[in-house]
Amino acid sequence: MEDGPVNLREFQELAKRNLPKMYYDYFSGGAEDQFTLRENVEAFQRIMLRPRILVDVSKIDMSTTLLGYNMSSPILVAPTGSQQLAHPQGELATARAAAACNTIMVLSFASNYSLEDVASTCSAVRFYQLYVRSGFDAFCLCFHCFITCSFEQFLQVFKRRDVSAALLQRAERNGYKAIVVTVDTPRLGRREADIKNKMIMPRNSNLEGLISVDVNPTGGSKLEAFASETLDPSLSWKDIEWLKSITKLPIMVKGIITAEDARKAVDAGVSGIVVSNHGARQLDYTPPTISVLDEVVKAVSGAVPVLLDGGVRRGTDVFKALALGAKAVMIGRPVVYGLAVKGEHGVRSVIKMLQNELELTMALAGCPTLRDITRNHVMINYERPRSPL
Ligand SMILES: Cc1cc2nc3c(=O)[nH]c(=O)nc-3n(C[C@H](O)[C@H](O)[C@H](O)COP(=O)(O)O)c2cc1C
Ligand SMILES: CCCCC(=O)C(=O)O
């Protein structure tokens, strides 16, 4: 008999028992009615598998590459903020676990440990997730925009560049291999549990010395207050161009769920796209990510790798995403639950569990390598099943 949780859902139940309600609600919650939160998971359950038989599956190879970096399987760690609320070792533990599993961790802009601390804790390949932020704390001069923009536009651009540029430089210096720009968060989604709980705003080491944010101590969610002072709602496609101009690192965009935006992203010269609705924490009633993967993959037509996150809880879910054209998937909440249950060891167990499930799925579906997984291995019915009553 196995000890401890045997699947990712059981990790969630244990995490719920281990964590204070405020923190569990923050990690598990979604926006408003949480319709998309449920759908992200349930949409996977409306896709059936079409296994092929009598294929030699005595050896299964799950290894792959992303932007030229080797990975043991197509499962990455998504950026999630404030991991110290789950475990004192926070992002350090997650980074070590990702390294041990030979996968890539995307470190959140909203991490508690600094990107330097995380870099020095392990030598694995890491990406850095960036929110482009606003604020007037320090200025850097940009003559190009001074000449080409109105004064108002100039100030707009001016005010958000310094901190983002500083973070990019630090990411480069500390060996991060790509920048993942999150583009679905011009403002924070309305997370009602956080409002009720008066969610705290934990320490953000990356921003220390760069900005000081005045978070209203009497309001609802402090995280929301922090976000409204920190995130830049004027971010637009031209800023992707600017980011590209100030870093040599490849830039991926995270938060695309339409073919139209996927085409724009390719035109803007990004190196990868993450189909994501931010784990249903931003705009409620967006479609579940797995249901729009197909349209994004078609629009991109192989120009850049397409990743997916949102609701991936089973090896079969990973398989379904790959069958629909994803190069890899990312997991958000399950990692945090693993962290809350058993720190680094818990995160390792979560990643390994999903990898083992994927390996078994590939064997049972007659796919010895990732290349063997095709569109013909899935059957889709995105209609919500009717209640039998
Ligand atoms: C607690 C929490 C914090 C998150 N913080 C960030 C963040 O700082 N930056 C970001 O781009 N996405 C963030 N996300 C979104 C995740 O990167 C990812 O898109 C999402 O969690 C995937 O869905 P899943 O949790 O169902 O796997 C966060 C998600 C959660 C649950
Ligand atoms: C402003 C930081 C927000 C972190 C985040 O992205 C999330 O909680 O979903």
Side-chain angles (χ1 to χ4, degrees), residues 188 191 194-195 198-199 215 219-226:
L188 203 70
R191 299 141 188 205
D194 292 349
I195 296 170
K198 300 191 176 13
M199 175 62 192
V215 176
S221 162
K222 312 282 182 296
L223 184 82
E224 209 286 324
F226 169 82

Side-chain angles (χ1 to χ4, degrees), residues 26-29 37 40-41 78-82 108-111 129 131 180 182 184-185 191 254 276-281 309-313 330-334 336:
Y26 166 67
F27 290 134
S28 62
L37 185 67
N40 268 356
V41 171
T80 54
S82 303
S108 164
F109 168 95
S111 62
Q129 177 260 323
Y131 282 126
V180 178
T182 299
D184 56 17
T185 311
R191 299 141 188 205
K254 169 175 179 281
S276 173
N277 52 29
H278 209 111
R281 296 160 75 80
D309 74 22
V312 176
R313 301 292 180 267
M330 303 206 297
I331 48 170
R333 291 180 182 84
V336 179

Side-chain angles (χ1 to χ4, degrees), residues 68-378:
Y69 298 102
N70 293 328
M71 299 165 63
S72 58
S73 80
I75 302 166
L76 291 85
V77 174
T80 54
S82 303
Q83 294 186 5
Q84 255 190 326
L85 298 182
H87 189 273
Q89 288 284 299
E91 294 85 8
L92 301 182
T94 302
R96 286 188 211 118
C101 296
N102 195 8
T103 189
I104 297 174
M105 171 192 186
V106 184
L107 179 69
S108 164
F109 168 95
S111 62
N112 297 133
Y113 282 97
S114 71
L115 59 89
E116 287 82 4
D117 287 344
V118 174
S120 61
T121 201
C122 67
S123 57
V125 174
R126 279 159 280 101
F127 294 172
Y128 182 68
Q129 177 260 323
L130 185 74
Y131 282 126
V132 178
R133 58 82 55 191
S134 59
F136 279 98
D137 310 83
F139 289 154
C140 75
L141 216 54
C142 168
F143 288 110
H144 172 73
C145 69
F146 186 68
I147 293 161
T148 55
C149 306
S150 70
F151 185 64
E152 216 166 86
Q153 284 171 322
F154 170 69
L155 281 183
Q156 277 293 321
V157 176
F158 200 46
K159 71 184 183 181
R160 65 173 173 261
R161 293 202 159 185
D162 50 348
V163 172
S164 305
L167 288 170
L168 280 191
Q169 279 161 15
R170 284 167 58 190
E172 279 180 18
R173 265 203 313 275
N174 285 279
Y176 290 76
K177 303 295 185 200
I179 301 298
V180 178
V181 184
T182 299
V183 290
D184 56 17
T185 311
R187 291 164 55 176
L188 203 70
R190 187 176 161 80
R191 299 141 188 205
E192 292 177 356
D194 292 349
I195 296 170
K196 279 200 188 139
N197 292 335
K198 300 191 176 13
M199 175 62 192
I200 57 160
M201 178 56 217
R203 161 169 172 244
N204 184 322
S205 308
N206 290 320
L207 297 182
E208 273 165 20
L210 283 176
I211 56 170
S212 54
V213 176
D214 178 23
V215 176
N216 169 12
T218 57
S221 162
K222 312 282 182 296
L223 184 82
E224 209 286 324
F226 169 82
S228 67
E229 289 210 26
T230 307
L231 305 175
D232 188 344
S234 73
L235 188 71
S236 64
W237 286 108
K238 65 180 179 341
D239 298 305
I240 302 295
E241 242 171 70
W242 169 69
L243 286 171
K244 277 187 63 200
S245 77
I246 60 159
T247 179
K248 288 192 199 64
L249 293 178
I251 291 188
M252 302 178 65
V253 284
K254 169 175 179 281
I256 284 189
I257 50 172
T258 62
E260 298 90 305
D261 283 339
R263 273 185 224 108
K264 281 195 158 195
V266 171
D267 291 345
V270 304
S271 301
I273 287 175
V274 185
V275 173
S276 173
N277 52 29
H278 209 111
R281 296 160 75 80
Q282 286 299 107
L283 182 60
D284 201 14
Y285 297 99
T286 54
T289 47
I290 190 66
S291 73
V292 294
L293 177 61
D294 208 23
E295 84 170 63
V296 171
V297 166
K298 280 188 185 129
V300 167
S301 128
V304 296
V306 175
L307 274 58
L308 170 135
D309 74 22
V312 176
R313 301 292 180 267
R314 283 288 188 188
T316 48
D317 297 341
V318 183
F319 184 95
K320 290 168 186 177
L322 298 184
L324 290 167
K327 174 79 175 162
V329 301
M330 303 206 297
I331 48 170
R333 291 180 182 84
V335 166
V336 179
Y337 299 146
L339 197 56
V341 172
K342 231 175 174 186
E344 177 186 337
H345 187 79
V347 178
R348 273 195 209 201
S349 302
V350 161
I351 298 170
K352 284 267 175 245
M353 204 174 262
L354 206 56
Q355 287 178 335
N356 290 342
E357 286 184 4
L358 173 63
E359 197 208 17
L360 179 61
T361 304
M362 288 169 67
L364 296 178
C367 299
T369 74
L370 298 180
R371 274 187 311 281
D372 297 313
I373 304 173
T374 67
R375 184 72 173 69
N376 290 334
H377 287 92
V378 289

